[in-house]
Amino acid sequence: MSGGASLGLRPSGSYGSLPQQQQQLGGCHSSPSPAPSVSPPLAARKPAKMSLGGAGGGGGPRVFARICKLAGRRQRMLLLLVAVAVAFCFLFSSLVSKDEDASPGVETMLVFSDHVRSFVNPVWTSSGRPVAQRDSLTANGLSTGSQMERQSDSSQKQVQDLIRSFPPAVVLNHHPCENFSLSPPPIDRKRTGPRPCPVCYLSVEQALALRPAQPSASPVLQSLNYMSEENLVSEDSNGGSLFGGYPSLEERDKSYDIKELMTVHCGFVRGKIPGLNTGFDIDEADRSEMQQCQRTVVASAIFGNYDILQQPENISEFSKDTVCFFMFLDEETEAALKNSTTIDHTKRIGLWRVVVVRNLPYSDARRNGKVPKLLLHRLFPNVRYSIWIDGKLKLVRDPYQVLERFLWRKNVSFAISRHYRRFDVFEEAEANKAGGKYDNASIDYQIEFYKREGLTHYSSAKLPITSDVPEGCVIIREHIPITNLFTCLWFNEVDRFTSRDQLSFSTVRDKIRSRVNWTADMFLDCERRDFVVQSYHRELLEHRQATLRSQPPLRPPMVQIQPRKMLPDNAAK
């Protein structure tokens, strides 16, 4: 190459002279260059084959080569950009045409369902990785496309608001609590009674990722109906109450003969709609609000102004939007609350939606509290999961965390804590008599009746049953036919005998367990104390406060101040 060659040009011997290149390529490179004077002419190279997809020459490559000959570098780039834009517009128009063919509301359903299915409906594989199932969202209490077609504009707006509040998707390769081991409660010398123990909870997002896609299977029983009879005659020999329908002993025995289709007594007998002229009557606006609750409900009750209303804590924003919080009150408790608390026009006190019950079926406030406690599936027919807490308790964990820990993780449909000290029904009965919980004659009659039916003391022979005595202040369950039957029959025992539901729990459980493959799961009481905080009943709390006010104030302890020792001036520092 001569020294006068311009920078950036290839040597003339590499690809031939510039005139030759222009002749071969048709003028695609048009920048001038001085002609070499020494280099001999070389044989012309064959032009490279230009193809878009292979070695064969076709019409497409020839057109492209002709365009390359006629257009400059900038024109070629512009043509390439135009081609890309045309392809993008074609793909976009095809997608829009598909969406226009879909039914109204499908856009919302697609965005919602794809987002939900990524973590609401997973199934654990053998490798431990959850895989999303492409099933209906109705099982999770969420609207599908066909349902959304029938919804009004306001309902669609609610769904869109729910989409915006939905937690981000979570992918779990393994369960975060798989290596967690239960440890005893920490040692506290100042507190000698029962205490909470550490419990491994997932975050709300992780808990939702493990929510079952389909309802749990109900063994044998598939459809449960409830007795309704308006003209009832009281028969003292049968026991029970007008609200419960006075089931005879023969009907009681028949209710344990579990079949695919059953009809049993389950409260609210005088009417077809629970809460409407049946006893335990509820206003129409409240019943309508309860009918609209379709996912999860947290419920409690205070009757006889017996407890102080406790507000749930540590509740996620998503749970505030999707979980129903209902507090049942009688008129006495409502009047007391109005003196100290403001109930707004939406009938809410904090998170609680207040429902005032009239025409109570029992004179005993504790027995009235058993109606919502055991018959939530009748008051909330469209709910899938429920968490019941007694009025003296405060919920301090998110409901989805509680459901994951005690239902979904164990693959059970009913969970209740066992008593922290007693495991035997006979010991529980004696403790109730000693504490004056109920009259002794009624407790003795109930225990003797159960003994004739085969009730025995608890022993290791009943394992894997870990206890016969629950701490019934918290009930976590899925509303499926078998659990609904269990709580119906449990309520019938409370209606027939004493209101102390701890005495009848094991009898109903064991009768059902002997016929079908189902049982109530019982977890440790210290685990229960981790997600609910127990307070004193109102009368005990007021008594303690009055006692503290009557006591003279304690004098502060005398503190003697030691005189400071002064060091001499020549002392070393």
Side-chain angles (χ1 to χ4, degrees), residues 27-29 50 64-65 67-83:
C28 283
H29 300 285
M50 300 177 63
F64 186 83
I67 294 175
C68 183
K69 291 179 182 180
L70 299 178
R73 179 178 299 176
R74 293 186 178 179
Q75 286 81 358
R76 292 198 308 275
M77 294 299 297
L78 181 61
L79 289 174
L80 181 61
L81 291 176
V82 171

Side-chain angles (χ1 to χ4, degrees), residues 213-279:
Q214 301 294 334
S216 300
S218 178
V220 181
L221 178 62
Q222 302 301 318
S223 179
L224 182 64
N225 299 318
Y226 309 107
M227 195 73 68
S228 175
E229 186 177 355
E230 296 183 0
N231 299 322
L232 288 172
V233 179
S234 174
E235 297 182 7
D236 295 337
S237 59
N238 288 335
S241 68
L242 183 64
F243 178 77
Y246 304 111
S248 63
L249 292 177
E250 182 181 357
E251 291 174 323
R252 175 181 178 270
D253 295 338
K254 187 178 179 180
S255 64
Y256 289 100
D257 185 14
I258 300 178
K259 302 176 182 178
E260 185 175 354
L261 175 63
M262 296 181 64
T263 301
V264 297
H265 288 81
C266 194
F268 304 103
V269 174
R270 292 179 300 160
K272 297 181 180 180
I273 301 177
L276 179 60
N277 300 325
T278 57

Side-chain angles (χ1 to χ4, degrees), residues 450-461:
Y450 290 158
K451 284 178 64 177
R452 291 194 297 269
E453 287 192 326
L455 177 66
T456 60
H457 290 274
Y458 179 80
S459 65
S460 59

Side-chain angles (χ1 to χ4, degrees), residues 24-331:
Q24 294 169 1
L25 300 179
C28 283
H29 300 285
S30 58
S31 59
S33 175
S37 59
V38 179
S39 300
L42 298 177
R45 289 174 58 94
K46 292 183 180 180
K49 293 182 180 180
M50 300 177 63
S51 65
L52 297 176
R62 293 177 182 176
V63 173
F64 186 83
R66 185 176 298 275
I67 294 175
C68 183
K69 291 179 182 180
L70 299 178
R73 179 178 299 176
R74 293 186 178 179
Q75 286 81 358
R76 292 198 308 275
M77 294 299 297
L78 181 61
L79 289 174
L80 181 61
L81 291 176
V82 171
V84 173
V86 171
F88 178 79
C89 292
F90 175 78
L91 293 175
F92 181 77
S93 63
S94 63
L95 292 176
V96 170
S97 63
K98 290 181 180 180
D99 289 344
E100 291 175 350
D101 294 337
S103 59
V106 171
E107 292 93 354
T108 305
M109 187 272 290
L110 287 177
V111 175
F112 190 45
S113 63
D114 291 343
H115 187 53
V116 172
R117 285 172 182 154
S118 62
F119 65 98
V120 171
N121 301 329
V123 172
W124 289 98
T125 61
S126 58
S127 61
R129 185 181 181 87
V131 178
Q133 294 189 62
R134 305 194 62 83
D135 59 349
S136 159
L137 297 181
T138 308
N140 290 292
L142 305 175
S143 299
T144 59
S146 60
Q147 292 173 331
M148 291 177 63
E149 293 177 6
R150 298 189 296 268
Q151 290 179 339
S152 62
D153 295 339
S154 60
S155 300
Q156 292 185 2
K157 184 178 182 300
Q158 293 177 358
V159 173
Q160 292 175 358
D161 294 339
L162 181 61
I163 295 171
R164 287 192 290 268
S165 65
F166 221 90
V170 173
V171 177
L172 299 177
N173 293 323
H174 60 85
H175 199 288
C177 296
E178 63 183 5
N179 296 325
F180 178 82
S181 58
L182 182 65
S183 58
I187 298 176
D188 187 358
R189 296 182 179 179
K190 297 181 180 180
R191 185 176 178 181
T192 58
R195 302 184 304 278
C197 54
V199 179
C200 181
Y201 295 100
L202 303 186
S203 66
V204 176
E205 295 80 6
Q206 293 172 332
L208 287 170
L210 300 180
R211 184 176 183 174
Q214 301 294 334
S216 300
S218 178
V220 181
L221 178 62
Q222 302 301 318
S223 179
L224 182 64
N225 299 318
Y226 309 107
M227 195 73 68
S228 175
E229 186 177 355
E230 296 183 0
N231 299 322
L232 288 172
V233 179
S234 174
E235 297 182 7
D236 295 337
S237 59
N238 288 335
S241 68
L242 183 64
F243 178 77
Y246 304 111
S248 63
L249 292 177
E250 182 181 357
E251 291 174 323
R252 175 181 178 270
D253 295 338
K254 187 178 179 180
S255 64
Y256 289 100
D257 185 14
I258 300 178
K259 302 176 182 178
E260 185 175 354
L261 175 63
M262 296 181 64
T263 301
V264 297
H265 288 81
C266 194
F268 304 103
V269 174
R270 292 179 300 160
K272 297 181 180 180
I273 301 177
L276 179 60
N277 300 325
T278 57
F280 205 86
D281 293 336
I282 300 172
D283 294 342
E284 182 179 357
D286 295 330
R287 284 188 282 106
S288 176
E289 190 79 11
M290 294 159 62
Q291 288 275 344
Q292 294 177 15
C293 184
Q294 297 183 354
R295 292 172 292 273
T296 301
V297 62
V298 177
S300 185
I302 301 176
F303 294 133
N305 196 26
Y306 197 60
D307 294 301
I308 298 175
L309 190 144
Q310 307 281 341
Q311 283 296 332
E313 296 180 355
N314 305 319
I315 308 300
S316 66
E317 292 299 324
F318 180 70
S319 294
K320 292 178 182 178
D321 294 336
T322 58
V323 177
C324 309
F325 293 83
F326 276 85
M327 174 66 69
F328 295 91
L329 309 174
D330 58 0
E331 296 176 275

